Structures are given as C-alpha cells and as structure tokens.
Amino acid sequence: MKEIYFERPQQPICKQDEIQWQEPRQLEDEMGAIRFCWPLASEGQMWEQARCRECNQPAHWVAIGSPFNDGEQYFMGCDSWCYWCFPRRHFTEEELRLVRHAEWAREQTTDEIIQLIREANLFTDDNTVESALSNVADEISERMETRGGETRETC
C-alpha cells in the first residue's frame, strides 16, 4: 500500500456489545456529502459504520487523516473504500498483480452467473419469471460495467 490506509481485520476487533458508541465527527466531502470521521480510539465502531464512498458497501480500507486541524488523527469516511472500488493507484506493483488476478476471476465468475441466468430463462414459460431473470442478468452486467473504471479522487 502506497499510503496510510487501515485494512479491515479478518476477525472483528471486539464484539458489537463491547463497542463504546460515540457520535462521530462530520465532514463535508468535495461532492457535498456528509462523511463521518472517527477518532483512532473508535476503531471497532468505525468498522461497523464505515461504508465505501462509491458503492456504499462495507468499507475494506479506510484512510487516516487530520481534517479538523486539531492535532488529532481520524479514520476518514470520505476516504473509505470496498475492495472493488479502491483506487488502483494506491496499490504497489506486487499488490496490483494480485488484484488484477482477483478482478479477472470475479469477471469470469460473473460472466458464468449471467450465462446460467440467461440459460435458465430459456426453460421457463412463465413471463414473470422470465422477466425477473432477465432483469437480474441486466443488473449484474450494469454493476460490473460501472465498477470497471478508475474511481474519483479522495477528499
């Protein structure tokens, strides 16, 4: 990783009932959205609440910064990313090789799923089911296309 990002731990840091919930500070990002900033001491809470800035899935990486000029560091909600939306420029060359392979495998799997849905669509006479299957296949295709490019700059 080229910059300071925290990666979601494999196991939760603590149980949800052990988290001391506090109101995170708020920061407006360049798009006008309100994003949360959690003190470093609130890491358990941050992993429960942090969402990807692009797709709103649970965050896999969250940056650290000092947005309030108060001498404190915070987990930055405006720089929170899931695995698939994380800007590739932040990876080292070695990491990029692994990511490219994972993305290739994901695309292959997605293509296979879409093909299975389209084939199942051929074996039904129910227009409602046929329409639903077609919509699912189209939605999967659209989501894959929108995640294909480089994401916007961070806050």
Side-chain angles (χ1 to χ4, degrees), residues 1 4 22 29 66 75 80 83 86 94 117-118 120 139:
M1 200 71 45
I4 299 176
Q22 300 176 26
D29 70 10
S66 298
F75 291 107
S80 299
Y83 182 83
F86 191 68
E94 183 179 336
I117 291 170
R118 296 209 190 280
E139 187 174 329

Side-chain angles (χ1 to χ4, degrees), residues 17-149:
D17 62 347
E18 296 173 339
I19 297 172
Q20 294 180 5
W21 297 92
Q22 300 176 26
E23 190 66 34
R25 293 191 63 180
Q26 296 182 6
L27 179 70
E28 187 174 332
D29 70 10
E30 72 276 359
M31 303 300 288
I34 299 297
R35 301 288 182 169
F36 293 130
C37 297
W38 299 268
L40 295 184
S42 299
E43 186 174 0
Q45 177 182 348
M46 179 273 298
W47 287 123
E48 289 291 322
Q49 294 179 323
R51 310 297 285 181
C52 176
R53 65 173 284 138
E54 288 293 318
C55 68
N56 207 35
Q57 294 298 311
H60 190 83
W61 283 284
V62 178
I64 294 178
S66 298
F68 303 110
N69 297 320
D70 60 0
E72 299 292 322
Q73 288 192 319
Y74 296 86
F75 291 107
M76 306 289 294
C78 61
D79 204 2
S80 299
W81 304 93
C82 72
Y83 182 83
W84 303 109
C85 295
F86 191 68
R88 300 312 185 220
R89 67 182 175 278
H90 297 303
F91 287 121
T92 64
E93 283 302 314
E94 183 179 336
E95 291 168 327
L96 271 175
R97 283 192 293 278
L98 298 171
V99 168
R100 286 185 190 117
H101 185 268
E103 287 174 338
W104 170 83
R106 181 179 187 229
E107 286 176 20
Q108 289 292 108
T109 303
T110 303
D111 290 345
E112 290 171 5
I113 290 168
I114 291 171
Q115 186 62 35
L116 287 170
I117 291 170
R118 296 209 190 280
E119 287 174 5
N121 198 10
L122 298 174
F123 297 108
T124 182
D125 293 331
D126 186 338
N127 289 337
T128 305
V129 172
E130 190 175 320
S131 177
L133 289 171
S134 180
N135 289 343
V136 167
D138 291 344
E139 187 174 329
I140 292 170
S141 294
E142 284 177 29
R143 287 185 184 204
M144 287 300 295
E145 288 174 17
T146 60
R147 290 185 181 179

